[in-house]
Amino acid sequence: MNARRTVRGLSLHAVVWLIGAFAAAPLVYAVVSGFKSTAELTANPFGLPERWKAGNYTGILGDGMFWRQLANSAGIAIGTTCCTVAASAMAAYVLARYAFRGRELFYTLFTIGLMFPFSVAVLPLFLLLRTLGLLDNPLGVILPQAAFGLPTTIVILRGFFRTIPAEVEEAAVMDGCGKFRFFWRILLPMARPALGTVSVLAVVASWNNFFLPLLVFDGPDWQTVPVGVQQFQGQYATDYALVLAYIVLAMVPALAFYAVAERQLTGGLTAGATKG
């Protein structure tokens, strides 16, 4: 029995390592290829560089436009996350803790939003942003991203808020705590795992968004990282090694953020299921 369990554990570890190697292989290839010249990459695409060329990476890191795109993406992601989490927390609180006629209908309307991709609303959204004067304005990206992030965030937060016992709120009310104070001082601190989870999801979704910044921003001043990658690839289409180096550097902030937030993400998604 122990031998069978050991074999099963080793098999699972082997499968995990195999999947990890399969997922990491493209990233490792891109990192190594960024140290080559384009001629060497064409002649020897899979081998190690004969002469490591760090100039591809240092040249990009010395470009002010690259850092501006990182700052733009970070600012838009933070703004989107703040708007999404603030609005969703208040809506989820009402939908989870108050019983009123039409509550489930409102919740269903929010969940229906999960079925509609952003591409469905491109034309009316563009016309609306133009009417409001939000083209080439970061608010023209932050507000729509926050709106499209509401359904997922409300679903997660409502499920978490409903796991908090009603006795907690009753005790707080008996101590003279009002509804808003209970929400702000007691409920939100208890919901930190869920708030952390939806914050991570909002940041990642905003950072990876390509189509909306491309639609809203006309000039280079507010370009984000995904748009910058596309522009850089078009400008240096024949310099494959330089393009790969740019892509690698553009991925580093997202990978670093996910590495730090991964435990918060997985813990928050399971916290609501383990509370009782």
Side-chain angles (χ1 to χ4, degrees):
M1 188 69 179
N2 290 334
R4 183 180 299 176
R5 187 177 301 173
T6 302
V7 172
R8 183 180 300 175
L10 291 175
S11 301
L12 290 175
H13 279 81
V15 171
V16 170
W17 277 101
L18 183 63
I19 295 174
F22 183 77
L27 179 60
V28 174
Y29 174 79
V31 172
V32 174
S33 298
F35 285 100
K36 297 180 180 180
S37 64
T38 298
E40 185 180 1
L41 180 61
T42 304
N44 184 21
F46 298 106
L48 293 175
E50 295 181 2
R51 194 172 184 180
W52 295 79
K53 183 180 178 182
N56 289 339
Y57 290 102
T58 57
I60 296 170
L61 291 174
D63 186 2
M65 181 56 67
F66 175 75
W67 293 104
R68 168 174 265 185
Q69 291 166 0
L70 288 180
N72 291 341
S73 290
I76 290 173
I78 292 173
T80 299
T81 302
C82 292
C83 293
T84 304
V85 174
S88 298
M90 291 185 286
Y93 172 62
V94 173
L95 293 173
R97 312 294 297 190
Y98 289 87
F100 56 90
R101 182 176 297 179
R103 181 181 69 172
E104 296 304 319
L105 175 60
F106 280 110
Y107 180 67
T108 302
L109 291 177
F110 279 115
T111 57
I112 289 176
L114 296 170
M115 302 169 56
F116 294 94
F118 167 75
S119 56
V120 174
V122 169
L123 181 57
L125 179 60
F126 178 81
L127 295 177
L128 178 62
L129 293 176
R130 187 178 64 179
T131 302
L132 297 176
L134 293 179
L135 293 179
D136 208 23
N137 186 319
L139 289 177
V141 175
I142 292 174
L143 296 179
Q145 284 185 161
F148 277 93
L150 288 178
T152 302
T153 310
I154 289 176
V155 168
I156 295 174
L157 291 181
R158 181 180 187 252
F160 192 92
F161 289 164
R162 295 185 72 176
T163 64
I164 297 176
E167 291 79 5
V168 176
E169 185 173 0
E170 293 173 0
V173 172
M174 291 179 63
D175 289 339
C177 183
K179 296 291 186 181
F180 181 78
R181 189 177 179 187
F182 168 77
F183 169 74
W184 182 255
R185 300 293 296 273
I186 299 176
L187 189 65
L188 290 185
M190 294 180 67
R192 281 180 184 172
L195 293 175
T197 297
V198 296
S199 297
V200 171
L201 293 176
V203 169
V204 172
S206 175
W207 189 276
N208 293 332
N209 197 337
F210 167 75
F211 195 36
L212 185 57
L214 182 66
L215 179 71
V216 174
F217 300 138
D218 295 330
D221 292 341
W222 286 103
Q223 277 185 356
T224 57
V225 170
V227 178
V229 170
Q230 189 264 346
Q231 297 288 343
F232 190 87
Q233 186 175 1
Q235 185 176 358
Y236 298 94
T238 58
D239 197 342
Y240 307 119
L242 186 62
V243 171
L244 286 173
Y246 193 95
I247 292 173
V248 169
L249 291 176
M251 288 191 300
V252 167
L255 292 176
F257 174 78
Y258 184 78
V260 173
E262 182 265 341
R263 181 175 298 180
Q264 176 66 51
L265 178 62
T266 56
L269 288 174
T270 58
T274 58
K275 288 184 177 288

